[in-house]
Amino acid sequence: MNTIPNSAIVEFETYVLMTMKLRVKMSKEEAELEAKLSEQGLSVDDAQRVHDRVADFLGGEASFFQNTKKLLGADPAASSLEFSSVLWPGFEFKVITNGGGRLESARYWHRSRDVPIVKLPIGLPIWSMDVTEFNERFGPLNGGRKFPLFDELLPAYEEYQFEWGEENYGAGFCWGLFMVSAMSWD
């Protein structure tokens, strides 16, 4: 599927991963972040430099799609963009626009549904599923907050509420990837 060089994907996905840094710290999953970077031979400081450079190149929301295509060497005339993830094998990243170039969605989707069956929707590994898969397993997910792609603190972050058994829970996702779930979500 990928016609995009893996090096370009890793550069973009390093940017994406570092936009998750605050949420990862809040979840006390720093070791997972460092391990994911280490797989690519990067330190947190290296990754921060990649993030800063890519963020400058991508610009704001109005230029995100066109500049992402440039960064990845994709067809400049394409109205969507899709590639297989390098950092998160089994996932695909898709950018969808409304045809006029306005961004509708930029997120990861799990190609398979191979997450082990669990009794509770807590304790799941970070980045183990996407929003759709989580909803199929534990939903229905109900309204919540959605932060814009270029939010200063939690870019591309979504929170949902749901009931499991008799209890209220919440789940958070960044760029469509599972980040955290907890009981009694407020």
Side-chain angles (χ1 to χ4, degrees):
M1 170 200 256
N2 284 352
T3 58
I4 299 168
N6 278 358
S7 59
I9 293 171
V10 168
E11 184 174 39
F12 177 77
E13 291 191 325
T14 299
Y15 157 77
V16 167
L17 179 59
M18 294 307 287
T19 67
M20 298 178 186
K21 186 177 172 185
L22 176 61
R23 184 66 246 185
V24 169
K25 281 185 168 191
M26 292 168 64
S27 301
K28 299 185 181 357
E29 298 280 356
E30 291 103 326
E32 293 294 326
L33 176 93
E34 291 171 8
K36 186 63 69 181
L37 291 170
S38 180
E39 290 172 7
Q40 302 305 317
L42 296 169
S43 69
V44 173
D45 290 340
D46 294 335
Q48 189 61 53
R49 285 188 287 277
V50 170
H51 169 272
D52 294 346
R53 181 173 37 78
V54 171
D56 286 344
F57 181 80
L58 294 177
E61 188 170 351
S63 62
F64 175 82
F65 182 57
Q66 289 302 323
N67 288 342
T68 300
K69 290 190 293 185
K70 286 179 194 172
L71 178 72
L72 297 172
D75 178 1
S79 61
S80 65
L81 175 66
E82 183 176 338
F83 61 81
S84 295
S85 177
V86 173
L87 266 62
W88 296 284
F91 287 86
E92 294 176 353
F93 184 77
K94 296 179 186 178
V95 179
I96 301 169
T97 64
N98 67 359
R102 183 180 155 98
L103 192 62
E104 287 188 6
S105 173
R107 67 183 331 152
Y108 285 87
W109 303 90
H110 207 182
R111 286 192 310 259
S112 62
R113 300 292 192 239
D114 58 358
V115 176
I117 301 297
V118 294
K119 293 182 182 184
L120 293 172
I122 56 175
L124 298 167
I126 191 170
W127 309 309
S128 59
M129 60 179 68
D130 65 25
V131 174
T132 303
E133 184 174 15
F134 192 92
N135 186 56
E136 290 168 357
R137 258 307 139 100
F138 303 110
L141 298 177
N142 300 308
R145 299 185 303 172
K146 292 186 180 186
F147 295 80
L149 188 63
F150 290 93
D151 186 81
E152 189 174 320
L153 296 176
L154 296 171
Y157 185 73
E158 304 169 49
E159 291 180 339
Y160 296 95
Q161 297 176 355
F162 63 102
E163 290 183 14
W164 186 257
E166 300 292 319
E167 302 294 334
N168 290 317
Y169 287 82
F173 302 84
C174 199
W175 295 87
L177 293 170
F178 174 77
M179 297 296 288
V180 64
S181 60
M183 187 184 244
S184 301
W185 194 272
D186 292 324

Short mmCIF file of all heavy atoms in Angstrom, two decimals, residues 107 131 142-149 151 154-160 173:
data_model
loop_
_atom_site.label_atom_id
_atom_site.label_comp_id
_atom_site.label_asym_id
_atom_site.label_seq_id
_atom_site.Cartn_x
_atom_site.Cartn_y
_atom_site.Cartn_z
N ARG A 107 -6.57 10.81 11.10
CA ARG A 107 -6.50 9.87 12.22
C ARG A 107 -6.05 8.49 11.79
O ARG A 107 -6.01 8.18 10.60
CB ARG A 107 -7.83 9.79 12.92
CG ARG A 107 -8.90 9.17 12.07
CD ARG A 107 -10.27 9.13 12.68
NE ARG A 107 -10.27 9.05 14.10
CZ ARG A 107 -11.25 9.52 14.87
NH1 ARG A 107 -12.29 10.08 14.32
NH2 ARG A 107 -11.20 9.40 16.18
N VAL A 131 -10.64 4.33 17.78
CA VAL A 131 -11.92 4.74 18.35
C VAL A 131 -13.04 3.78 17.94
O VAL A 131 -13.84 3.35 18.77
CB VAL A 131 -12.29 6.19 17.91
CG1 VAL A 131 -13.69 6.55 18.39
CG2 VAL A 131 -11.28 7.19 18.42
N ASN A 142 -20.37 7.81 24.12
CA ASN A 142 -21.23 8.98 24.07
C ASN A 142 -20.41 10.24 24.04
O ASN A 142 -19.27 10.24 24.52
CB ASN A 142 -22.16 8.98 25.29
CG ASN A 142 -23.03 7.75 25.33
OD1 ASN A 142 -23.68 7.42 24.35
ND2 ASN A 142 -22.98 7.03 26.43
N GLY A 143 -21.04 11.30 23.53
CA GLY A 143 -20.42 12.61 23.43
C GLY A 143 -19.24 12.83 24.34
O GLY A 143 -18.94 12.05 25.20
N GLY A 144 -18.57 13.81 24.12
CA GLY A 144 -17.41 14.13 24.91
C GLY A 144 -16.75 15.35 24.30
O GLY A 144 -17.35 16.06 23.51
N ARG A 145 -15.52 15.52 24.65
CA ARG A 145 -14.79 16.67 24.12
C ARG A 145 -13.90 16.24 22.97
O ARG A 145 -13.29 15.18 23.01
CB ARG A 145 -13.95 17.31 25.21
CG ARG A 145 -14.80 17.80 26.36
CD ARG A 145 -14.01 18.54 27.40
NE ARG A 145 -12.93 17.71 27.93
CZ ARG A 145 -11.99 18.17 28.76
NH1 ARG A 145 -12.00 19.44 29.13
NH2 ARG A 145 -11.06 17.38 29.22
N LYS A 146 -13.83 17.09 21.97
CA LYS A 146 -12.92 16.87 20.84
C LYS A 146 -12.07 18.12 20.70
O LYS A 146 -12.60 19.21 20.54
CB LYS A 146 -13.69 16.59 19.55
CG LYS A 146 -14.41 15.27 19.57
CD LYS A 146 -15.04 14.98 18.22
CE LYS A 146 -15.76 13.64 18.29
NZ LYS A 146 -16.27 13.24 16.99
N PHE A 147 -10.78 17.92 20.78
CA PHE A 147 -9.85 19.03 20.66
C PHE A 147 -9.38 19.11 19.21
O PHE A 147 -9.14 18.09 18.57
CB PHE A 147 -8.65 18.82 21.59
CG PHE A 147 -9.02 18.85 23.05
CD1 PHE A 147 -9.58 17.73 23.66
CD2 PHE A 147 -8.84 19.99 23.80
CE1 PHE A 147 -9.93 17.75 25.00
CE2 PHE A 147 -9.18 20.02 25.14
CZ PHE A 147 -9.73 18.90 25.74
N PRO A 148 -9.22 20.32 18.68
CA PRO A 148 -8.82 20.46 17.28
C PRO A 148 -7.41 19.93 17.03
O PRO A 148 -6.60 19.78 17.95
CB PRO A 148 -8.88 21.96 17.03
CG PRO A 148 -9.15 22.62 18.33
CD PRO A 148 -9.44 21.59 19.34
N LEU A 149 -7.14 19.68 15.78
CA LEU A 149 -5.85 19.15 15.34
C LEU A 149 -4.69 20.02 15.81
O LEU A 149 -3.61 19.52 16.07
CB LEU A 149 -5.86 19.06 13.81
CG LEU A 149 -4.71 18.37 13.13
CD1 LEU A 149 -4.64 16.91 13.53
CD2 LEU A 149 -4.86 18.48 11.63
N ASP A 151 -4.73 22.08 18.59
CA ASP A 151 -4.88 22.54 19.96
C ASP A 151 -3.48 22.62 20.60
O ASP A 151 -2.63 21.76 20.36
CB ASP A 151 -5.75 21.56 20.76
CG ASP A 151 -6.05 22.06 22.15
OD1 ASP A 151 -6.96 22.90 22.28
OD2 ASP A 151 -5.36 21.64 23.10
N LEU A 154 -3.62 19.57 23.79
CA LEU A 154 -4.03 18.21 23.45
C LEU A 154 -4.51 18.13 21.99
O LEU A 154 -5.69 17.93 21.72
CB LEU A 154 -5.14 17.75 24.40
CG LEU A 154 -4.75 17.62 25.87
CD1 LEU A 154 -5.98 17.36 26.73
CD2 LEU A 154 -3.72 16.53 26.07
N PRO A 155 -3.59 18.26 21.05
CA PRO A 155 -4.01 18.23 19.64
C PRO A 155 -4.59 16.88 19.24
O PRO A 155 -4.12 15.84 19.69
CB PRO A 155 -2.72 18.52 18.88
CG PRO A 155 -1.61 18.25 19.83
CD PRO A 155 -2.16 18.40 21.21
N ALA A 156 -5.63 16.94 18.43
CA ALA A 156 -6.28 15.76 17.87
C ALA A 156 -6.70 14.76 18.95
O ALA A 156 -6.65 13.56 18.77
CB ALA A 156 -5.38 15.08 16.84
N TYR A 157 -7.14 15.27 20.09
CA TYR A 157 -7.52 14.44 21.23
C TYR A 157 -9.03 14.42 21.38
O TYR A 157 -9.69 15.43 21.22
CB TYR A 157 -6.87 14.98 22.52
CG TYR A 157 -7.12 14.10 23.71
CD1 TYR A 157 -6.47 12.87 23.84
CD2 TYR A 157 -8.01 14.48 24.70
CE1 TYR A 157 -6.71 12.05 24.93
CE2 TYR A 157 -8.25 13.66 25.80
CZ TYR A 157 -7.60 12.46 25.91
OH TYR A 157 -7.84 11.64 26.98
N GLU A 158 -9.57 13.24 21.69
CA GLU A 158 -11.00 13.05 21.87
C GLU A 158 -11.25 12.29 23.16
O GLU A 158 -10.52 11.35 23.47
CB GLU A 158 -11.60 12.23 20.73
CG GLU A 158 -11.35 12.79 19.36
CD GLU A 158 -11.73 11.80 18.27
OE1 GLU A 158 -12.84 11.23 18.33
OE2 GLU A 158 -10.90 11.60 17.37
N GLU A 159 -12.28 12.68 23.88
CA GLU A 159 -12.70 11.97 25.08
C GLU A 159 -14.16 11.56 24.93
O GLU A 159 -14.96 12.33 24.42
CB GLU A 159 -12.59 12.86 26.32
CG GLU A 159 -11.20 13.19 26.72
CD GLU A 159 -11.15 14.08 27.95
OE1 GLU A 159 -12.15 14.77 28.26
OE2 GLU A 159 -10.10 14.08 28.58
N TYR A 160 -14.46 10.36 25.39
CA TYR A 160 -15.83 9.85 25.32
C TYR A 160 -16.21 9.26 26.66
O TYR A 160 -15.36 8.81 27.43
CB TYR A 160 -15.95 8.76 24.25
CG TYR A 160 -15.68 9.26 22.87
CD1 TYR A 160 -14.41 9.13 22.31
CD2 TYR A 160 -16.68 9.85 22.12
CE1 TYR A 160 -14.16 9.59 21.03
CE2 TYR A 160 -16.44 10.30 20.84
CZ TYR A 160 -15.17 10.17 20.30
OH TYR A 160 -14.93 10.62 19.04
N PHE A 173 -8.61 9.29 23.27
CA PHE A 173 -7.93 8.88 22.03
C PHE A 173 -7.20 10.08 21.45
O PHE A 173 -7.69 11.20 21.51
CB PHE A 173 -8.95 8.40 21.00
CG PHE A 173 -9.78 7.25 21.49
CD1 PHE A 173 -10.91 7.47 22.25
CD2 PHE A 173 -9.42 5.96 21.19
CE1 PHE A 173 -11.68 6.43 22.73
CE2 PHE A 173 -10.19 4.90 21.66
CZ PHE A 173 -11.32 5.13 22.43
#
